Amino acid sequence: MTVHQLNELLLIGSLVLLVAVVAVRVSSRSGLPSLLLYLGIGVAMGQDGIGNITFDNAELTQVIGYAALVVILAEGGLGTQWKEIRPALPAASVLATAGVAVSVGITAATAHYLIGLEWRQALLIGAVVSSTDAAAVFSVLRKVPLPKRVTGTLEAESGFNDAPVVILVVAFSTTGPVDSWYVLVGTIALELAIGAAIGLAVGFGGAYALKRVALPASGLYPIAVMAIAVAAYAAGALAHGSGFLAVYLASMVLGNAGLPHQPANRGFAEGLGWIAQIGMFVLLGLLVTPHELLGDFWPAVLIGLALTAVARPVSVFLSLAPFRLPWQEQALMSWAGLRGAVPIILATIPMVSGIEGSEKVFNIVFVLVVVYTLVQGPTLPWLAKALRLGDGSAATDLGVESAPLERLRGHLLSLSIPERSRMHGVEVAELRLPPGAAVTLVVRDGRSFVPSPATVLRRGDDLLVVATDPVRDATEQRLRAVGHGGKLAGWLGTGGG
């Protein structure tokens, strides 16, 4: 490649990225997941489009898709709050394993008996579309505050179910006979156990190191966090475990460890996640050949109808029956099983393996994802409100940023009081911070001042809190507790006392 060709490639890439960023704004106003707009950009650039670019390298698409998925899972894990996801872990674990099995069985039976596909192709489609996409779900639910149990279950399920689904798709994509069901179950259990152990070990080890080693520049912390998350995936995959589960768990540990510059870490990961999604969806749009989709349109619609109206609800109600969740929550989770990047990426695995009919599987999955995202995406907020699951009274969590003061053996915590925080109206003395911590500066309406114990905090205030090393975690815990429960936090069971 010459320098001139490189410059042209950079120009085209930057223009595509700018168009995709504008598409984010359009999707936020329309209520549609942005993945559809990114796919549209790729389709428009590819065959049958205005760009007329011929691209059919499924292997390259799979490699780039895996790399993007690692970044997306890392970003999702860093943004997952442990206190919200912890009560939902048992339900999400069952939904991501037993629920996947039920969904695969019903969807595969539909593809075999109604569409007439061979069992291998039917099982491939059932496995591929059984993985949900958290990014697609929450891109349309971002304006609808939901109960923490619902969001926690959906987040955990989407983070966990990628691992068993990948194992199933790889098993069904082998050229020889497919292993017996008990062999598959044992393989899934072993790989999940290895991936979970490595992910937790890397996450806790990385958090321990980052909290005790002061890096020379704040910009190095986000890079270090992402490097640790990617290392967890690599270690899990090399150990023949689930690398996807490893990266998600490691990132979740890092995101809840109170690391220095935590908001910056999450912002950096979110930016990388957007770039990964944009690049991945544009590439998937390039890979598809639009005129070949027409023949697989109605089979995709029928399989998607069985998945959405039968397989997903049955898997949800059977998996969550032991947990006695309200039917409204189960109904929303049944409809919130959006498919996004993961199924389309997984559909490239049988193409790379050379499985007969793999192109048909890819086309069906592509159409299914697009059609049912158009149907489910805009209706999710309406359904949440119809089921009265919007939690408009919930207090907004505080974003606390920490910068280590190595020589002073202390930490400088900075935070802003959001609109719905219950810290509004609380006096500084009523924060009841632990000994060794104090509010040293308040910035209000562009004016900074040193507060007194009687200073009343208001919405929009920016606070600087200095805490010694031993009470740093307790200080942040107390600040978050007051933000959720007000001045009586701790006395009313809200924690942080």
Side-chain angles (χ1 to χ4, degrees):
M1 178 182 293
T2 65
V3 175
H4 180 70
Q5 291 175 324
L6 177 61
N7 292 336
E8 289 182 343
L9 183 61
L10 290 175
L11 177 61
I12 295 173
S14 61
L15 290 176
V16 171
L17 188 59
L18 286 174
V19 172
V21 170
V22 174
V24 175
R25 181 62 177 173
V26 174
S27 67
S28 65
R29 287 184 173 272
S30 63
L32 293 175
S34 54
L35 69 91
L36 296 181
L37 297 175
Y38 304 151
L39 284 173
I41 293 172
V43 172
M45 294 172 58
Q47 302 178 57
D48 300 341
I50 57 177
N52 198 26
I53 298 175
T54 301
F55 179 80
D56 58 0
N57 194 332
E59 186 173 3
L60 176 62
T61 304
Q62 179 185 331
V63 172
I64 295 177
Y66 269 43
L69 185 56
V70 170
V71 175
I72 293 171
L73 285 174
E75 188 267 330
L78 289 172
T80 300
Q81 296 187 17
W82 173 246
K83 62 183 178 182
E84 294 185 3
I85 202 175
R86 179 174 55 186
L89 280 180
S93 300
V94 176
L95 194 57
T97 50
V100 164
V102 173
S103 180
V104 171
I106 295 177
T107 307
T110 301
H112 177 71
Y113 291 111
L114 292 186
I115 308 302
L117 297 180
E118 297 180 357
W119 269 116
R120 182 186 291 269
Q121 298 173 1
L123 288 171
L124 274 171
I125 291 178
V128 164
V129 299
S130 294
S131 179
T132 58
D133 192 318
V137 172
F138 290 104
S139 66
V140 296
L141 284 180
R142 58 188 175 273
K143 295 182 180 179
V144 184
L146 294 174
K148 294 180 180 179
R149 179 166 55 188
V150 175
T151 57
T153 302
L154 289 173
E155 285 187 12
E157 180 205 5
S158 62
F160 293 162
N161 64 12
D162 291 341
V165 167
V166 169
I167 297 171
L168 287 176
V169 174
V170 172
F172 295 149
S173 298
T174 55
T175 54
V178 180
D179 293 331
S180 302
W181 68 268
Y182 53 86
V183 176
L184 288 177
V185 171
T187 302
I188 291 174
L190 178 60
E191 292 195 16
L192 291 180
I194 295 174
I198 292 178
L200 293 174
V202 172
F204 282 113
Y208 179 87
L210 286 179
K211 293 177 71 172
R212 285 159 178 79
V213 177
L215 298 178
S218 60
L220 293 175
Y221 283 93
I223 298 175
V225 168
M226 288 302 300
I228 293 172
V230 173
Y233 169 80
L238 290 175
H240 301 288
S242 173
F244 294 117
L245 182 60
V247 67
Y248 182 75
L249 290 179
S251 302
M252 188 167 62
V253 171
L254 293 170
N256 291 270
L259 298 179
H261 307 290
Q262 192 73 308
N265 298 336
R266 292 177 181 173
F268 179 76
E270 185 178 4
L272 288 181
W274 277 112
I275 293 176
Q277 290 189 61
I278 292 170
M280 177 176 55
F281 286 127
V282 170
L283 196 62
L284 290 171
L286 281 172
L287 184 64
V288 73
T289 305
H291 71 265
E292 295 179 356
L293 300 178
L294 297 177
D296 297 316
F297 180 82
W298 289 112
V301 171
L302 289 176
I303 294 174
L305 182 62
L307 171 68
T308 306
V310 182
R312 173 68 179 181
V314 170
S315 65
V316 168
F317 282 95
L318 288 180
S319 301
L320 301 183
F323 303 98
R324 302 183 181 278
L325 298 182
W327 71 268
Q328 294 93 335
E329 296 184 7
Q330 296 189 49
L332 181 65
M333 284 188 264
S334 298
W335 191 247
L338 282 179
R339 273 71 193 170
V342 179
I344 305 178
I345 294 173
L346 296 181
T348 63
I349 295 178
M351 295 177 67
V352 175
S353 301
I355 299 299
E356 183 180 355
S358 57
E359 290 82 5
K360 185 179 185 66
V361 171
F362 180 86
N363 291 338
I364 289 176
V365 172
F366 189 93
V367 173
L368 187 154
V369 169
V370 172
V371 170
Y372 283 91
T373 300
L374 281 171
V375 173
Q376 293 174 269
T379 58
L380 270 174
W382 172 85
L383 180 61
K385 293 178 182 178
L387 295 174
R388 298 181 179 180
L389 291 177
D391 189 7
S393 62
T396 305
D397 192 22
L398 295 172
V400 181
E401 171 138 10
S402 172
L405 306 173
E406 185 179 22
R407 294 181 58 190
L408 302 178
R409 296 191 68 250
H411 294 265
L412 182 64
L413 308 180
S414 62
L415 63 141
S416 297
I417 302 179
E419 183 66 26
R420 290 191 299 164
S421 174
R422 295 199 174 102
M423 192 177 285
H424 173 77
V426 176
E427 296 181 4
V428 170
E430 292 172 332
L431 292 176
R432 293 189 287 126
L433 299 178
V439 180
T440 58
L441 193 70
V442 175
V443 180
R444 178 179 299 166
D445 298 329
R447 185 177 64 89
S448 59
F449 61 92
V450 177
S452 68
T455 298
V456 178
L457 302 175
R458 300 178 184 174
R459 299 183 184 95
D461 285 354
D462 294 310
L463 276 61
L464 289 181
V465 181
V466 175
T468 58
D469 191 64
V471 300
R472 179 246 178 272
D473 292 339
T475 302
E476 181 175 346
Q477 180 185 3
R478 177 60 192 165
L479 290 170
R480 293 187 184 277
V482 176
H484 281 282
K487 66 180 70 177
L488 297 181
W491 292 340
L492 299 180
T494 52

